[in-house]
Amino acid sequence: MHSENIDPDEARRRQRIGGGWLLALGWAGAILSLTAPATRATTLVQAGQARAVVAIAPQPDAMEVLALTDLTNYIARLSGAVLATATVAAAEAEAFAREAKRQGRVPIFLGRNARDRVFRPAEGPPARGAFVLEVGPAAVWIA
């Protein structure tokens, strides 16, 4: 068995890189699932140009900020395109989706502004740690 002496700073760097790859694989899987045969396909980036805008609720919590950062970073890493972001309240989501579509962009609603869309009242409130991805004709909803 080979033992390697690594200083603590190098060990932490390797952990960050390893953890980052796991997150990247998770996001890549979610993004690639948008085009899976069983789901409706939508194009977020075409020819290196962003065709989507990510909408997050006003006053996002820490998990929403993390999700926004991860999503936009991984799409940029995968495609080279930087997605625009916007602050949109849940009550304004439908109007925002119509305007984005008029501009030729796909809105991606992330977090609380998507929660009521993807979780039905009969199902009860979503638990922290749930993940639902819905691709519709007018938008992508992630909650």
Side-chain angles (χ1 to χ4, degrees):
M1 180 175 168
H2 175 69
S3 175
E4 184 179 2
N5 290 327
I6 300 173
D7 70 90
D9 290 334
E10 176 65 13
R12 279 191 291 280
R13 185 188 72 77
R14 288 185 183 184
Q15 283 179 328
R16 281 193 308 272
I17 291 171
W21 278 109
L22 291 176
L23 285 173
L25 289 173
W27 273 113
I31 292 165
L32 292 175
S33 72
L34 293 174
T35 59
T39 13
R40 178 174 165 33
T42 192
T43 302
L44 305 180
V45 176
Q46 186 172 26
Q49 299 299 310
R51 292 191 53 210
V53 57
V54 183
I56 193 163
Q59 300 173 334
D61 65 24
M63 294 303 289
E64 289 170 321
V65 171
L66 178 63
L68 174 68
T69 301
D70 283 352
L71 177 63
T72 55
N73 285 344
Y74 292 125
I75 288 178
R77 287 180 185 166
L78 290 168
S79 68
V82 177
L83 298 183
T85 60
T87 301
V88 179
E92 302 164 350
E94 294 301 323
F96 183 82
R98 284 191 302 275
E99 179 61 20
K101 187 168 183 143
R102 188 186 68 72
Q103 295 174 2
R105 298 189 303 172
V106 175
I108 302 171
F109 293 97
L110 182 62
R112 283 174 291 148
N113 63 12
R115 187 175 46 211
D116 292 340
R117 164 76 182 211
V118 298
F119 289 99
R120 309 302 183 251
E123 298 170 357
R128 180 60 88 184
F131 181 86
V132 176
L133 174 68
E134 181 180 312
V135 179
V140 175
W141 308 84
I142 303 172

